[in-house]
Amino acid sequence: MDFRPIFGGLLVTALFACASLPDPKFKKYAFPEQEVFVDTKPSRRFKVVGPVRVRVNFNSLNAEREDQDLCRNYFNKGAADLLKRAKRDLHGDAVIDVRSVVYYMDGKSKKFTTPECADDGGEGQVLMEGHAIRYLPEPKVSPTPKSG
C-alpha cells in the first residue's frame, strides 16, 4: 500500500495548521469636532430633529494597543457614524449630546460623556447615542435708517 498521498495530505494540513494569525487591522479615526458635540452646543441657532444611535464592534485582541486607546478610537468612529446617520436618516447638520451607553448585567444602563466600551475578551463594542440637529437660518437684520 502506498502511504505517500496520506503523508502528503498530513504534511499540507500541518503546514496550514501552523500558520500564524494575521495581524489585527487598525485604522485611526478622528473625532469630527466641527459637527459632533459632546458637552458643548454649537454657536448657531438649531432645532433638534430626533435621536440617533449607533453600535461599533471592533477586534479587541490587539497586543499593540491599550484597551482604552482602542475604545477612544472606536468612539471617534462611532461619532462619525452618528453624524452620517443623522445626515442620511434625519437630514440633520450636526449631532449634540453625544454619549456612550453601557448596559449592565442587572438590566440597568448608564450614559457617559467619555468613551466607555464593553469587551468580551475578543470583540469590543461601543454603543453611542445623540440628538441630530438642523441649523436654522440666521435672522436677517434690517439696517436702521439714519436720521439726518
Side-chain angles (χ1 to χ4, degrees):
M1 181 170 186
D2 189 12
F3 291 106
R4 286 183 287 177
I6 295 172
F7 287 124
L10 288 174
L11 180 63
V12 169
T13 303
L15 288 175
F16 284 113
C18 294
S20 63
L21 294 173
D23 290 334
K25 295 178 183 177
F26 180 80
K27 180 180 177 186
K28 186 144 179 84
Y29 295 97
F31 190 86
E33 294 177 9
Q34 301 300 318
E35 299 171 302
V36 176
F37 302 91
V38 177
D39 284 330
T40 61
K41 303 275 191 238
S43 58
R44 295 175 59 183
R45 295 181 332 125
F46 63 87
K47 73 173 186 173
V48 176
V49 292
V52 286
R53 294 179 181 90
V54 296
R55 175 181 64 204
V56 178
N57 295 323
F58 59 93
N59 182 358
S60 63
L61 294 176
N62 191 334
E64 298 174 6
R65 308 276 179 199
E66 294 291 326
D67 290 342
Q68 193 58 31
D69 290 336
L70 285 171
C71 185
R72 187 177 307 109
N73 186 56
Y74 289 100
F75 180 85
N76 294 346
K77 180 185 185 319
D81 290 350
L82 279 173
L83 181 61
K84 284 180 194 173
R85 180 159 289 177
K87 288 182 175 185
R88 183 189 68 211
D89 296 346
L90 300 172
H91 305 290
D93 297 313
V95 180
I96 61 169
D97 300 330
V98 172
R99 303 287 185 260
S100 58
V101 182
V102 175
Y103 288 93
Y104 296 103
M105 296 293 283
D106 61 1
K108 295 180 182 176
S109 66
K110 189 170 180 183
K111 298 176 185 178
F112 298 91
T113 58
T114 57
E116 300 293 333
C117 300
D119 187 355
D120 67 3
E123 185 174 87
Q125 182 180 75
V126 60
L127 302 172
M128 297 177 66
E129 67 178 27
H131 294 97
I133 62 169
R134 191 172 303 136
Y135 291 121
L136 299 172
E138 293 298 322
K140 294 182 181 181
V141 178
S142 60
T144 56
K146 293 183 181 180
S147 59

